[in-house]
Amino acid sequence: MMNPEYISILTLVVYALVVLTIIVYQAARLPDGWRAWILFAITRVYAPGLWGIKANRRCPFPGDSAAIIIANHRSPVDPIILWYNSHLGSPQKRLRCISFLMAREYYELPGLVGWISRAMHSIPVDRDGRDVVPVREALRKLKQGEMIGVFPEGGIQDPRPIAHANSGIAFLALRSKAPVYPVYINNSPRGKNMIEPFYSFSNASVVYGEPIDLSDYYGRRASREVLEEVTTLMMQQLASLGDTVYLGSPTSEENKQLIQMPEDHYLSAN
């Protein structure tokens, strides 16, 4: 007859092997790499406990096709709030990253913010407005069926109304023909620096909207006027989710801080 102590140790070993097998299996299923899986595992426990995230309904993002997610931006943790439950909306329940367009200076930080940005396969954007490579990279990812996240306001904003957004987001949507999902984030944690929100309590919530139908614009020449019209349409629908307003097109100076379009932006979006 086996020693009870030996049986207890053997049971613990078996449990440990089962847990390890599950971890390896889930990590292997995530095509975006082990760092993304570690971030996801931590976030699934950390985010709802610290930020109390609620939603108006189950996340509607697709599980295996391209999508553009647009949201207001009030905190450095907004990408995590948008991402950590995104897999629950699809029948496959497949976890995959949302590649956010973000400022290069934050993407390249050596600490927590930079690590999270790289783990989520974010796309760095230069603020000088001369680099169109990020837009082309976003289009490439969308063509491959990946999800792109954009904060069209161009940076973290203070007021509740939706700040100016330039027509780069409309260019992405029309050129890729990917569905655009608006999400309004309420009460995401704030702080005096980029790190403080990650350990600050809040009662955050998200309001998921229906995909924005832009099919009427697909056959039209992507002129500046059309892109501005599409941008306004998308931003107004985003603002309506938060019971607020969209402040309109940016000034030329504000435009430099937002998503820049390739020089061929005036070509047909087909």
Side-chain angles (χ1 to χ4, degrees):
M1 188 173 180
M2 298 181 69
N3 187 308
E5 184 177 349
Y6 177 79
I7 294 176
S8 299
I9 295 174
L10 182 61
T11 301
L12 289 174
V13 170
V14 171
Y15 278 136
L17 288 174
V18 170
V19 171
L20 181 61
T21 300
I22 293 174
I23 291 174
V24 172
Y25 172 72
Q26 291 184 338
R29 290 182 63 204
L30 181 62
D32 296 309
W34 62 269
R35 289 191 301 181
W37 189 90
I38 289 176
L39 178 61
F40 171 75
I42 295 173
T43 302
R44 286 290 295 167
V45 176
Y46 184 87
L50 192 67
W51 304 323
I53 305 170
K54 307 295 182 183
N56 63 322
R57 63 187 177 101
R58 178 157 290 200
C59 179
F61 305 162
D64 57 0
S65 58
I68 299 172
I69 291 87
I70 62 172
N72 59 316
H73 198 18
R74 303 295 178 265
S75 169
V77 308
D78 289 339
I80 292 179
I81 289 176
L82 289 173
W83 176 60
Y84 94 107
N85 255 347
S86 62
H87 67 296
L88 297 179
S90 66
Q92 302 91 345
K93 303 293 187 295
R94 185 169 72 90
L95 175 65
R96 59 186 183 136
C97 284
I98 300 173
S99 296
F100 288 91
L101 288 160
M102 68 174 302
R104 184 178 296 277
E105 61 262 33
Y106 297 130
Y107 178 89
E108 295 178 347
L109 285 175
L112 178 66
V113 175
W115 186 87
I116 291 175
S117 303
R118 293 185 290 273
M120 296 182 70
H121 296 258
S122 298
I123 301 172
V125 179
D126 290 329
R127 288 192 184 274
D128 60 15
R130 291 193 288 267
D131 185 11
V132 297
V133 172
V135 176
R136 298 189 189 279
E137 174 65 9
L139 288 171
R140 183 189 68 81
K141 284 180 175 287
L142 289 168
K143 186 176 182 180
Q144 293 176 344
E146 300 182 37
M147 291 195 294
I148 295 296
V150 182
F151 298 108
E153 295 166 289
I156 296 174
Q157 305 293 327
D158 288 324
R160 183 173 179 81
I162 300 294
H164 308 310
N166 83 341
S167 53
I169 182 60
F171 174 80
L172 282 180
L174 296 182
R175 180 61 65 89
S176 67
K177 296 183 179 180
V180 179
Y181 292 83
V183 186
Y184 195 92
I185 306 173
N186 293 291
N187 302 321
S188 49
R190 304 295 298 272
K192 298 177 181 178
N193 53 55
M194 290 292 290
I195 301 299
E196 187 175 340
F198 286 90
Y199 58 82
S200 299
F201 286 95
S202 70
N203 292 306
S205 65
V206 294
V207 182
Y208 295 115
E210 294 297 327
I212 300 173
D213 184 9
L214 300 176
S215 58
D216 288 345
Y217 295 90
Y218 289 161
R220 297 173 61 179
R221 179 176 177 271
S223 64
R224 186 173 300 278
E225 292 73 23
V226 167
L227 293 177
E228 289 291 349
E229 183 178 339
V230 172
T231 300
T232 299
L233 170 64
M234 290 191 293
M235 301 309 291
Q236 286 178 341
Q237 291 201 31
L238 173 59
S240 69
L241 296 178
D243 293 324
T244 185
V245 296
Y246 172 51
L247 299 179
S249 301
T251 65
S252 59
E253 189 61 31
E254 289 167 331
N255 218 358
K256 296 177 181 179
Q257 303 299 319
L258 305 176
I259 304 171
Q260 297 302 305
M261 293 179 292
E263 293 180 358
D264 60 351
H265 70 274
Y266 51 84
L267 299 177
S268 169
N270 294 328

